[in-house]
Each structure stands twice: as C-alpha cells, then as structure tokens.
Amino acid sequence: MIEEKIEQKQETEAQQAPRPKTVFSGVQPSGKLTLGNYLGAMGNWVALQEENRCIFSVVDLHSITVRQEPAALRRQTLEVLAQYIACGIDPEKSLLFIQSHVSAHAELSWVLNCYTMFGELSRMTQFKDKSKTHADNVNAGLFTYPVLMASDILLYQTDFVPVGQDQKQHVEIARDIAERFNGIYGNVFTVPEPRIAGTGARIMSLADPTKKMSKSDKNQNAFVLLMDKPEDIMRKFKRAVTDSGSEVRRGEGKHGVNNLIAIYSAAAGCTPEAAEERFAGKGYGDFKKAVGEAVVEVLRPVREKTEDLLNNKDYLEKVYTQGAENASRIARRTLEKVYKKVGFIKKPF
Ligand code: TYM
C-alpha cells in the first residue's frame, strides 16, 4: 500500500517536473569564423549544455545563398564542426550535425514558404543589406533564407535560440510563422524565443566600429578570426580605431571605445563597469594591449584544439554521422506531423 503510494507520488512528480528545454542554433560555414561569432554565439552555448537538450548545426544549406567555392565549403564545414567541439561543446551532451545531412530541413522549408508572406520577407534587414553587397546575385534563396532558418528551429520543437543581435529579427519571423501555422492547424510547433548574448551580442568592426564585425569584410584588420595567431590578434587590436578622447569609458558616439570595452568584458568575463574601473587613468595604448591579451587567452585553446581535431577527421566523421542519425529521427517526427496536418497522404514506405 505504502509502496503504491510512493510510486504514485513519483509518477506525479515526474509528470510535474519541467521537461528540459530544447536549444537550437547554427553557424554558416561560409568563411572563417570571427571573434563576433564566438562572443555573440558559440562561446555562450557551452554553459547551456548542462541543463538543456542542445542541438547545434553547421548550416551549409544557408551558405550557398552566396556563391561558395565547393572545396572551400567542404573544408570550412568541417572546420566549423571542429570549432564547435573546440569551444567546449561536447558531442556526448549536445547533438551536432551538418544541416544538408538532414533532408527534413529543405522539405519543411518548402511547406513553410507557403505560409510566409512576401511582404514580411521583404522587411528583413539582412536581406536588404545582402542584396546591396551581392547585387549581382540577388537569388530567391537569399530572399527565402529566413524560412529555412525557421524550419531549422521549428523541426526540433525549440524553446530557445541563442544568437547574436543580428539574428533576432530572423528568430522573430520564425515565431510568426509558427504562430500562423499553429493558428490554422493546432499546436504543431513550439514557439521559440531568441536568447541574445549580453555584452558580446554585437561585436563591431575594429576598423570601422559603426559596422558589425563580419568575416566578409574586405579589410583584414576589421575582424579577428578564431584561428588567428596571437601576434596577428595583438597587431589588429593595436591598430583598432578608438576616438579622439583619452579616457577608457563608454559614451555616446564613442563607437570604438564602446566596442573594445564590450570585447574586453566578454573575453575577460567581467562587467563593462568593472572594465572601466580597471583602466581608470590608463591610456588607449595600454587598454588596447590588454584587450588583445584577453582575446589571445580566450582564443588560444580554441585554435589549438581545432587544429588537433582537424587532424582527426575520422573522429569528426563519427560525430557528424551520429548527429545526422539522431537529428533526422527528431526532425522526421515533426515533418510527418506537418505533412499530415496540411493533407498529404501518408508515405507508404
Ligand atoms: P551567422 O553564421 O552569420 O553567425 C553565427 C552566429 O554568430 C553571431 N554573430 C555575431 N554576434 C555578435 N557580433 C557579431 N559581429 C556577430 N557576427 C555574427 C550571429 O548572430 C549568429 O548567432 N542565419 C544564421 C545561422 C542560422 C541559425 C539557424 C541560427 C541558420 N539557421 C537557426 C540560429 C538558429 C546566420 O547566418 O548566422
């Protein structure tokens, strides 16, 4: 009798226990990753692994919205996977996979294209920006790219999407698409929320701090790469643009100093206020050197571990093979539900 009661109690507790939240995010392998990708995204994913069901993808389908050299794309895809692991993402705890290995992403994307409005896609700032920078190749994929991103997120019934500030609008359209679809067919998708990084959410160019730090910048001194050598990192910070003042303090219009304080506090793990206190009375020269050193120390283990992993392709292949199997299983369940809801006949095999 007592045992029965205990069992009943345990069952009720298990039902009431909050289910682990699902986290999904991705990085495009369309070039070398930057400090911005690290501080705004991957660096923040590691801590999420302990309490959540984390799924991270190397989103190669997204990359071809801009022309890629095929051999380079293959190389960069493996490099991004290695960098995920080198940052501390543990394939035993998180699901890591390459997007093109799970065909459900492209399949759901078609369906969701039919539930996304031309007008809402036209308002995406990244589309507007990219149509200017790639004016010779404004393809339909560039336009419908947020729908593919929504499919990535919605296939896994994602609760949280940890991204940098520039991707917030894309997560919001994923929410809108999910709500629209649920409104017609019932609760098919979990409605995801963006999780925007703190001080690292928007790392700016070192050469022009009014622009986002981006791997596609023509000026090599504008960005720091995860694979940069310490001497290159130090040189780039030494040359970083500041402003005409001399105080290491944030302020309106002080884009360069604001950015360097954000980088320092994200890399050294302190608040921007603590960073200002630490450099009170010091000049920009000393400050820039300290920012460089903090970044070197954060990136050193990532670079070294990435190099090791790239020498162990068999291991990487094992990780992405296992990841593709597990991701396909989860994704398939959502896709089948969607196909049924919209009225497709069940596949006979
Ligand atoms: P991508 O590949 O451009 O960038 C990957 C992640 O890095 C962040 N990021 C930055 N954060 C701070 N400062 C910067 N300068 C900076 N530059 C980049 C981005 O915000 C992002 O979090 N569409 C996405 C990839 C994607 C995705 C997804 C993300 C595809 N499907 C599903 C989340 C969920 C992109 O192009 O990110």
Side-chain angles (χ1 to χ4, degrees), residues 24-28 34 36-37 39-41 59 62 99 126 145 149 152-153 161-167 170 200-204 212-215:
F24 184 98
S25 201
V27 173
Q28 291 192 62
T34 70
N37 295 128
L39 296 180
V59 291
H62 279 91
Q99 188 189 27
Q126 196 171 65
Y145 169 119
M149 181 160 159
D152 300 340
I153 297 168
V161 188
V163 282
Q165 184 69 40
D166 63 326
Q167 294 300 319
H170 289 161
R202 192 166 167 79
I203 301 298
M204 310 305 279
K212 188 185 79 164
M213 181 181 284
S214 158
K215 50 198 162 206

Side-chain angles (χ1 to χ4, degrees), residues 23 40 44-45 48 52 159-164 171 193-198:
V23 169
N44 306 313
W45 299 349
L48 299 170
N52 304 285
D159 297 286
F160 300 119
V161 188
V163 282
V171 182
E193 273 176 39
R195 273 286 156 93
I196 309 298

